[in-house]
Amino acid sequence: MELLRLAALDTEDLTVISAHLQDAILRPQDLTYLAGERRFLMAVRRFDWTPNVPPRRRLAGLHVERVLGVKSRGLTPDDATPMSLLALTFEPTDAPSGHIDLVFSGGAALRLEVECIEVRMKDLGPVWESANRPGHDIDTDTAAGSAA
């Protein structure tokens, strides 16, 4: 089993990580902000988009360094309802700083204020078959906008 390991130091790199994490499933308790370390962590069950293989998911971790603050919308820490990650995007403010937005299904979102883009994603090992491939209702999944 080949484990995926990716790093992002610019917008293009972040787009690649976003594509690999599209439709990852997680719960609010899978999100952690370590303010003292200026680090944001996330554990997900990502959909493996490898072509010509049966649908499957993998356990993966994401961490973002140089995080100055986090804002959220539509997230309740004790909610056990699974949600899907739709995208990660970067908006510069005073380059190289800016914010990374994580957009989730159901209108939830996070905004990470960062000094610069420094993101890593890594498969953590376990893989299992999925009953189906993810699909989207474009009208409900993207109605949220940003976390600000």
Side-chain angles (χ1 to χ4, degrees):
M1 170 176 44
E2 194 172 318
L3 300 177
L4 187 61
R5 299 176 83 178
L6 299 172
L9 298 174
D10 60 29
T11 306
E12 292 80 22
D13 295 342
L14 189 64
T15 300
V16 172
I17 290 177
S18 178
H20 282 283
L21 290 178
Q22 181 181 353
D23 298 311
I25 296 172
L26 67 152
R27 292 179 177 89
Q29 58 261 42
D30 297 326
L31 307 167
T32 303
Y33 175 47
L34 304 172
E37 297 178 35
R38 299 185 341 179
R39 177 178 291 147
F40 174 81
L41 307 167
M42 180 171 74
V44 301
R45 277 113 357 243
R46 77 173 182 89
F47 187 80
D48 186 345
W49 288 101
T50 304
N52 304 318
V53 298
R56 61 187 182 182
R57 290 200 176 267
R58 294 178 175 272
L59 184 62
L62 177 93
H63 66 95
V64 181
E65 303 295 333
R66 303 176 187 267
V67 179
L68 304 173
V70 176
K71 295 179 183 177
S72 69
R73 186 192 64 238
L75 293 172
T76 306
D78 58 348
D79 187 358
T81 306
M83 58 188 179
S84 293
L85 178 64
L86 302 177
L88 282 90
T89 60
F90 179 73
E91 178 87 23
T93 52
D94 186 16
S97 64
H99 54 259
I100 295 174
D101 287 328
L102 291 84
V103 180
F104 302 99
S105 59
L110 281 177
R111 174 165 282 178
L112 311 179
E113 296 294 333
V114 296
E115 289 179 10
C116 61
I117 298 174
E118 189 174 333
V119 179
R120 288 186 181 80
M121 188 210 88
K122 178 181 177 182
D123 284 342
L124 301 175
V127 60
W128 60 94
E129 287 189 27
S130 177
N132 50 37
R133 293 187 184 280
H136 297 278
D137 179 349
I138 193 77
D139 293 330
T140 59
D141 284 348
T142 60
S146 69

